[in-house]
Amino acid sequence: MTDVKTQIDETVKANTVVLYMKGTKEMPQCGFSSRVAGVLNYMGVDFADVNVLADEDLRQGIKDYSDWPTVPQLYVKGEFVGGCDIITEMTLSGELDTLFEENGVGYDKEAADKIREANA
């Protein structure tokens, strides 16, 4: 498990935005992963995706790493942000925009506003 923890640690620190998910950003394999990947893709965020279904040790390892029981998990600048519900709330409140701005993450503000308008 130490190797998996090291691998996860290196991945979250080497990429500005990382989404640990079931499936890939092009082909999510669960509704929650699909929702978060869809938000990030729609907002034009450049992010690394890690498919936890490809490796059982990784699937458990990411839960241990973050002390968070579910996938997907979003990391920005090496910090755990949250899962599907948290990312959804942050998107709708504008907190995700602020997080991206504070960390120099490029995103489409207009797309973020459209998501909020559609869910108002």
Side-chain angles (χ1 to χ4, degrees), residues 5-85:
K5 185 178 186 289
T6 301
Q7 176 189 348
I8 292 167
D9 200 50
E10 289 172 356
T11 301
V12 300
K13 290 179 178 166
N15 296 279
T16 304
V17 181
V18 182
L19 181 63
Y20 281 83
M21 62 185 292
K22 293 179 180 175
T24 63
K25 58 182 158 186
E26 294 84 16
M27 190 174 289
Q29 298 294 307
C30 86
F32 300 114
S33 291
S34 180
R35 180 180 296 173
V36 177
V39 164
L40 296 175
N41 284 327
Y42 188 76
M43 289 173 62
V45 175
D46 181 25
F47 68 100
D49 56 335
V50 180
N51 181 2
V52 300
L53 297 178
D55 182 340
E56 185 57 41
D57 288 340
L58 182 62
R59 188 174 180 176
Q60 184 57 47
I62 192 63
K63 295 174 186 178
D64 295 339
Y65 181 83
S66 63
D67 198 24
W68 190 260
T70 59
V71 172
Q73 294 184 14
L74 183 67
Y75 291 80
V76 175
K77 288 275 179 98
E79 297 294 322
F80 176 59
V81 179
C84 184
D85 290 346

